[in-house]
Structure formats: structure tokens, C-alpha cells
Amino acid sequence: MQDVTSATELLVQSSNTYFLLIGAIMVFAMHAGFAFLEVGTVRHKNQVNALVKIITDFGVSCIAYFFIGYWIAYDTTFYSSARELTANNGYDLVKFFFLMTFAAAIPAIISGGIAERAKFNPFLLASAIIVALIYPFFEGVVWNGNYGVQDWIEQTTGSQFHDFAGSVVVHAVGGWLALVAVFFLGLRNGRVKDKKLIAFAPSNIPFLALGTWILCIGWFGFNVMSAQTLDGISGLVAMNSLMAMAGGIIAAWLFGKNDPGFVHNGPLAGLVAICAGSDIVHPIGALVIGVVAGWLFVTLFTLIQRSKKLDDVLGVWPLHGLCGAWGGIAAGIFGSENMGGLGGVSLVAQLIGTLGGISVALIGGVIVYGVLNKTMGLRLTEEEEYNGADLTTHRIGSINHD
């Protein structure tokens, strides 16, 4: 009987490890989606820079999270022996891999907003600081109960702040950090002609679309695998992700008037918004969440394009910042039993948690980008920007004309 029990435990442990490993790989693959989405949106002279930024940010994020960030968030380090680290089939190691891919999404989100005029090294350093300190601080508060904040929210409102897969923890934080960076950078040269704002058209719609498809596929690992164990997996999460994605597509298509940039960002808006409540809302609620998110993105990105102070190239603030915040709040609305959800959430708690995430991002962003702007400078010179980040930073263009 003992042998059967041991064999069962081993099977469960190895199955959970494999389950989470697949999730980690799917989220890792999403970074290719971030890369192609940016490549397809920026002008040709900045395409190489987009590709290099995403993969370099990933490497730096991995190191920063391994040595500092994961320790801050979960009070866990990897300084014990390899034998100890591989206990439970190395589940804890795969858990790090999975959560690290979430952390690395923050710089990938920011990258799209700062494109075409940002210096490479200062923003790479900013990515390291954000993933080492700012993101894990809020991640630990929400997902590990650090500093007693979740206990206080529960005592105050009756429920803890609920963010199953990171609408606020990952996306809103990334989006509001990007807003600060975009503000410091200002408009790209050439955006204003004869006192009128000029929009730069996407350089490659097929690449943009490919980025969206990769992100959409990987997102089911992002959301479903957030259960982190097989016994916690729920088809409701997959169904809600699907419905929110569809709602975002339809809304972006209708309100975006067939614009391919809007249509291909619509599903991402819906998926960002559903992360928080994907495990508790009804599928019809998820559809509504996605529709509102798609409308939010189209409306706010259109307004940004008319602003002479903000130049958010990929619209990451409306897409991740605002839709992420909407998702955090929407979980408190559509997650309630009165709205067909599973309950256990409070709208007030969701408001507190969402505002907390925005505050951490804004304060952290002002400190990090403000200091780097004073000490290293954040923006390319006018000549460097005119030549493009590809030639300026990497000494090579995306197209070889020889």
C-alpha cells in the first residue's frame, strides 16, 4: 500500500511539473508575439531594434528575477544544492520559469510604447531594475500575501484582491510604467507637420498579424496554466479567455472601422482584461468584458494619436494599462454571484488592488525613468532617430539592399 501511495505521489508531482513546464514554454513563446507585433508596427529602420530589445530584455529579466526579483516576491532563493533544488521533480524550478516569463512580459510591454526613439542601454537597465524590484514588490503583495496587504483588504472589504492571471499584476503595471516612459520620451520626430499631428502607418501588417496570433495562442498557457497544478485546472478559464478574445475582436472591428491595426489588437485587449477574473466569471460576462476592452483600446488609442504630449507607438498604455485596470475592476463586477459568477470577490477590493497596482507603477516609473533620464538620457539624438535605431544602435538594417 505504501508503494502505491509513493508511486501516486510521484505521478502527481511529475505531472504537475510537466503541466507547468508546458505553460512556461507557451508564455515564453508569447515573447515572439511581442516582437513581431512591434516589428510589424514600427517603421523599417527600427525593426532590428525591436527584435533585439525583446530578446535582450528577456535575458536581463531572467537574471534579475533569478537573483533578486523572485526572492523579493516569494522569499525564495536558489543557493541550495542541485539535489535539494530537484526535490518534487524540480517543480519549484519550473514554477520559477513560469513566473519569470510573466515578469519578463513587463519590459516586452514597455518596449512597444517607447519604440523608435529610445536609447537601448538606459532602457535595458530600467528593465533590470523594474523586474528586480518594482514588479516583484507588487507581485509578492498580491500573489504571496506579502506585508499583510491582502489580509487588510480582506478585513476591510470581506474579500482579498483577486487577480488570477495578472490583468493588474502584469498588464496594468506594465502599461502604466510604459505611460511614464512615453511621457519622458515625448513625440517622435516628424509627428508634427504644419502644426498637425501625422500618424505613421504600420510597416508590415502580416508581421503585426503574426504577432497577434502567437500572443493569442500563448495566452491560453498564460491564463489556464496560472492554476499551476493539474488539480486546479479549469475549463472555465479556457472558455472565458476564448469569449473575451472574441468580444475584443468584434468590438475592435466595429469601433475601429475595419482598421487592421485595431482588429489585431482587439483580441489582445480582451485577453488582457479577462486575466483577473477568468477563473470566476460566467462566459457571457467574459464576452462583455472583452467587448468593453476592445472598445476601450480603440477609443483611447485614437485619443492618444491626437495628443501632442504622448506618443505611445503600439498603444500599450490603453491596451495593457487601461484594459488591465478594467479587467481588475470587471472581476469584482462579473465575478459576483449576482452576475452569474462564482463569487468570493468584492468590487471595493478590486478597486483598491487595481489602484494599488497603478500607484506602484507610476511611482516606480517616475523614480526609475526620472533618474535614468537625468543621468544617462533616455532618448536618441535627432540625427540618430532620423537614421533609425537599427543603424544607430546595431549597425545593421532589417533589409539588405546589396
Side-chain angles (χ1 to χ4, degrees), residues 51-246:
L51 292 169
V52 176
K53 273 192 305 178
I54 298 295
I55 197 167
T56 310
D57 276 336
F58 188 90
V60 167
S61 297
C62 180
I63 301 303
Y65 197 64
F66 180 86
F67 285 105
I68 304 174
Y70 197 67
W71 168 60
I72 289 175
Y74 300 102
D75 194 25
T76 299
T77 63
F78 300 97
Y79 299 119
S80 52
S81 69
R83 187 177 299 278
E84 292 174 303
L85 292 176
T86 53
N88 299 324
N89 296 94
Y91 177 82
D92 291 338
L93 300 179
V94 173
K95 181 179 178 181
F96 162 80
F97 181 13
F98 181 68
L99 292 172
M100 182 277 294
T101 59
F102 279 51
I106 300 290
I109 290 168
I110 296 170
S111 176
I114 65 172
E116 300 203 304
R117 77 276 201 207
K119 286 184 178 179
F120 188 83
N121 289 333
F123 275 97
L124 193 63
L125 178 57
S127 296
I129 297 170
I130 288 167
V131 174
L133 301 174
I134 297 172
Y135 168 74
F137 167 76
F138 189 65
E139 175 192 19
V141 165
V142 176
W143 286 341
N144 199 46
N146 293 353
Y147 313 112
V149 175
Q150 284 282 39
D151 291 336
W152 173 79
I153 293 176
E154 185 174 18
Q155 292 171 4
T156 304
T157 68
S159 299
Q160 293 190 351
F161 172 60
H162 185 91
D163 190 359
F164 180 70
S167 283
V168 177
V169 174
V170 178
H171 297 286
V173 167
W176 287 87
L177 279 166
L179 178 66
V180 176
V182 166
F183 177 80
F184 274 112
L185 285 171
L187 294 180
R188 285 167 289 173
N189 291 326
R191 283 294 316 278
V192 179
K193 290 184 179 179
D194 299 325
K195 297 182 180 181
K196 293 182 180 180
L197 278 169
I198 304 298
F200 297 142
S203 61
N204 193 311
I205 296 296
F207 275 168
L208 187 157
L210 175 62
T212 291
W213 279 107
I214 294 172
L215 284 166
C216 287
I217 293 168
W219 222 296
F220 287 87
F222 197 97
N223 283 1
V224 176
M225 269 72 165
S226 284
Q228 298 190 21
T229 56
L230 277 172
D231 62 349
I233 192 172
S234 171
L236 182 64
V237 177
M239 182 65 170
N240 284 338
S241 300
L242 182 67
M243 295 301 287
M245 181 182 73

Side-chain angles (χ1 to χ4, degrees), residues 312-359:
D312 185 347
V313 180
L314 268 69
V316 296
W317 175 59
L319 181 63
H320 297 274
L322 291 178
C323 290
W326 158 242
I329 296 168
I333 300 172
F334 295 96
S336 67
E337 293 186 28
N338 290 335
M339 297 294 288
L342 298 181
V345 288
S346 160
L347 178 57
V348 176
Q350 296 305 113
L351 286 168
I352 293 173
T354 300
L355 291 174
I358 293 172
S359 299

